[in-house]
Amino acid sequence: MTDTRTAEPVLDARVRTVRTAADGVRELVLTAPAGGPLPAWSPGAHIDLLLGPGLVRQYSLCGDPENRTRWRVAVLRQPLGRGGSALVHDRIRAGDLLRVRGPRNNFPLRPAAAYLFVAGGIGITALLPMVAAADAAGADWRLLYGGRSRRSMAYREELARYGSCVDVCPQDETGLLDLDGALATAPFGALVYCCGPEPLLRAVEQRCAGPRLHVERFAPRPVEDAPGTAAFEVVLRRSGRTVHVAADESVLAAVQAAGAAVLDSCREGTCGTCETTVLAGRPDHRDSVLDEDERAAGATMMVCVSRSLTPVLELDL
C-alpha cells in the first residue's frame, strides 16, 4: 500500500462531455482546463471529486491510462445515497470546472499469466482498464459481468470486442452469476479481481480466499467482530505528542483535533486517503482497503475507522 499521510494536490478539471452510459449511470469525461496532460494513473485507480463542502466522492477511472489528455468516470445514481451521485446526475454539465484530487490506487493489477475478473453493476468501471491491460499483455483472462438488466449494464458495447472472453449475465435473463463454475474453470494460479455490491463481494470471498483474491469496495466492509472498543492513547512520533482517543471517537478526529495534518476523504475506510504508518502497537483494522497480509503485518492503518488492540499506538505523525 502507499503511505498517503501527506496532502495530495488538488487540481481543476474541465467536464468535456457528459452522457448516459446505461440506465442510472452518467459518464463524465474530464480534461485539463488549459489542455495538456493530466496526472498519470494505472488500472484500478480512482479520483476524488470535490463536489462541495464536506461532499467528496471517489470514482474509478475507467478510460485508457495511455491517454493522458482525458479521464473518464461513470457515476451510478444512488437514490438512497448521501447526495454525491444526485449532484453529478442533476447539476454537472459539459463545460463545468470541477475540483479533483488524485489519482490514487488501492486496487492495483498485479502481473499474472491468467485472471478472472468479476464485475457487478457499476463495479465494471474499476475492471475495464484491467481487462484492457490483461488483453494487451497476452494474459489468459475472462470477465464475468453481472447486472440487473442489460439496460443497466454500462460499457457492454465496449466489451463486445473481446468476444467470448466476456460473459455478460443480466440477472433478469440468466439469474445470479455462476461463481462456482467460473472459479472452477479458471486457470490454475489465476488472480481473481472483483468489484461490485457487497453481496457479490461476500459471495466471492466465501469461495476464494487467500492472496489470489483482490476486491474493491464502494461501501464499508461489514465489521462482524470489533474487539477494540476501549479508549487508548496514540503517540505522534514526529510531533512528540500523545493523544487520547475516546471509545466513541475515531483516531482521525482525535489526531486532527490535536493539530496533526492527516488527509481524509471518505471517513468510512474505503478510499485509502488517510492511510498512516504504524510504528508500534497493534491496529484493530476495520477498513475495506487492506488485504489480509497487510492487516497481519500491521505496518499501516486507516485512521478514519480503525482503532487499537493495544493500550498505546504509535503513528508516524
Side-chain angles (χ1 to χ4, degrees), residues 106-118:
N106 303 315
F107 190 46
L109 182 66
R110 311 292 185 190
Y115 301 93
L116 172 62
F117 300 107
V118 182

Side-chain angles (χ1 to χ4, degrees), residues 34-55:
L38 291 162
W41 61 282
S42 57
H46 67 264
I47 57 173
D48 298 342
L49 294 187
L50 283 62
L51 300 171
L55 194 61

Side-chain angles (χ1 to χ4, degrees), residues 19-315:
R19 75 176 184 96
T20 298
D23 282 354
V25 179
R26 203 171 200 220
E27 178 193 273
L28 307 181
V29 173
L30 309 176
T31 59
L38 291 162
W41 61 282
S42 57
H46 67 264
I47 57 173
D48 298 342
L49 294 187
L50 283 62
L51 300 171
L55 194 61
V56 180
R57 297 293 182 268
Q58 294 77 40
Y59 298 109
S60 296
L61 289 168
C62 59
D64 178 5
E66 298 300 318
N67 186 347
R68 296 280 303 279
T69 66
R70 50 183 268 168
W71 285 342
R72 182 175 71 170
V73 298
V75 179
L76 173 67
R77 180 187 282 276
Q78 301 279 9
L80 302 178
R82 295 172 295 162
S85 68
L87 187 151
V88 171
H89 276 253
D90 297 338
R91 294 175 53 186
I92 292 180
R93 300 289 182 266
D96 287 351
L97 202 62
L98 298 180
R99 300 288 279 167
V100 180
R101 186 167 57 211
R104 187 182 311 112
N105 199 339
N106 303 315
F107 190 46
L109 182 66
R110 311 292 185 190
Y115 301 93
L116 172 62
F117 300 107
V118 182
I122 199 63
I124 190 62
T125 56
L127 300 183
L128 269 179
M130 295 188 179
V131 163
D135 192 68
D140 183 358
W141 65 272
R142 177 187 178 194
L143 168 65
L144 194 62
Y145 179 19
R148 297 187 311 276
S149 66
R150 287 184 186 273
R151 290 176 58 86
S152 71
M153 299 171 70
Y155 303 117
R156 288 184 297 108
E157 297 83 0
E158 192 169 311
L159 289 164
R161 66 190 180 98
Y162 297 116
S164 61
C165 291
V166 176
D167 292 325
V168 174
C169 306
Q171 187 174 347
D172 61 352
E173 298 177 21
T174 63
L176 297 176
L177 293 177
D178 181 12
L179 298 177
D180 292 321
L183 289 166
T185 57
F188 177 78
L191 298 186
V192 179
Y193 280 80
C194 181
C195 187
E198 185 62 28
L200 173 63
L201 300 182
R202 296 296 290 271
V204 173
E205 288 174 331
Q206 289 168 2
R207 292 165 170 80
C208 179
R212 66 182 296 219
L213 176 62
H214 304 270
V215 302
E216 182 170 58
R217 284 177 157 84
F218 295 137
R221 181 203 306 260
V223 179
E224 298 174 352
D225 180 19
T229 55
F232 55 95
E233 306 296 316
V234 170
V235 175
L236 310 182
R237 168 76 68 86
R238 281 187 278 147
S239 65
R241 300 190 61 180
T242 297
V243 177
H244 178 77
V245 181
D248 60 351
E249 182 182 30
S250 70
V251 176
L252 177 67
V255 299
Q256 285 183 335
V262 182
L263 190 67
D264 68 270
S265 181
C266 72
R267 297 197 171 209
E268 57 185 16
T270 59
C271 73
T273 305
C274 67
E275 185 177 4
T276 301
T277 298
V278 177
L279 301 175
R282 184 183 169 200
D284 172 18
H285 296 291
R286 304 184 184 186
D287 65 276
S288 303
V289 177
L290 299 176
D291 62 30
E292 293 308 314
D293 289 341
E294 291 165 330
R295 287 171 173 242
T300 66
M301 66 182 290
M302 307 304 156
V303 294
C304 65
V305 293
S306 297
R307 298 186 62 78
S308 181
L309 296 174
T310 50
V312 179
L313 197 64
E314 188 169 342
L315 302 179

